[in-house]
Each structure stands twice: as structure tokens, then as C-alpha cells.
Amino acid sequence: MKSTILAILALLLMPGCIIQDIHDQIALSNEKLQQIDESFEKVEQANASLTKLDVQMERLQTLDSIDENLMLMNERIDTLQKDLNAVSEHLASLRKTINNIDNTIPFLKFSGDEEDEAAETEPETEANPTNNPLVEPAEPVKDPTK
């Protein structure tokens, strides 16, 4: 009889233990799911940051291509400036030669300066008091990246 009562008591207590164990496992599962949700939120924040970083990188690549284009333009401008300086020197030499011809043979008047000098003398001294040529060869453009 004692063993029967103990067996009945054991049977009555066992289902409670199983239910408690199931309850504990569900609570543990809920905690794990909450941790997983927090991890997903962190991953989503990291993805948003990476997206912003991608946009910034694209902007930087655009700026790099603009910088390369500007450097190429500077090189071309330097080449053009050298050519313009050479043309300017050549024209100055040609002007000197024409003035020499005019001085040597006064009746030819290749330059036409004497006719224009009377009209231009006063405005030239007012606009350009130093009497330097109004058009001077430009200095080469310096590359700001160097």
C-alpha cells in the first residue's frame, strides 16, 4: 500500500515537473529570440552605415575623376602656354624687324605706327601710364597638386 501511494504521488508530481521544464525551455527560447532580434537590429544599422559609406565612396570616385580631368587640362594649358609664349616672342621679333625696316626705308611704312601713334598716344598714356605693351605673355599656370 505504501508503495502504491508513493507511486500515485510520483505520478501526480511528474506532470508538474514536465510542465515546469517546458515552461523553462520556452522562457529560454524567448530570451534567445530576443538576443537574435537585437543582433538583427545591429546588422541593419551596420547595413545602413555601409550604404551611406557606399554613397560617399561614389562621390569620392567622382571627385577623383574630376581631379584627373583637371590635371589633364592643366597639362594641356601648360602646352598651350608654351606655344603662346613662342608665338608672342616670334611676333615681338617680327615687330622689331618691321620697325627696323620702317626706320631704314621711311617711305615704305610697313608698320603703320606713325599714323596710329598720334591717335593712340594720349589714350595709351592714360590707360597704360607705364607705356608697357598692353598684351604680355602670360605666365605658365602652375599645377596646384604639385
Side-chain angles (χ1 to χ4, degrees), residues 28-41:
L28 184 62
S29 296
N30 283 338
E31 288 177 16
K32 295 287 184 183
L33 285 174
Q34 190 174 14
Q35 290 174 355
I36 290 172
D37 283 343
E38 290 172 0
S39 296
F40 279 138
E41 287 176 10

Side-chain angles (χ1 to χ4, degrees), residues 4-20:
T4 328
I5 292 177
L6 282 175
I8 291 175
L9 261 172
L11 286 175
L12 289 175
L13 291 176
M14 283 196 66
C17 289
I18 292 174
I19 292 174
Q20 184 63 37

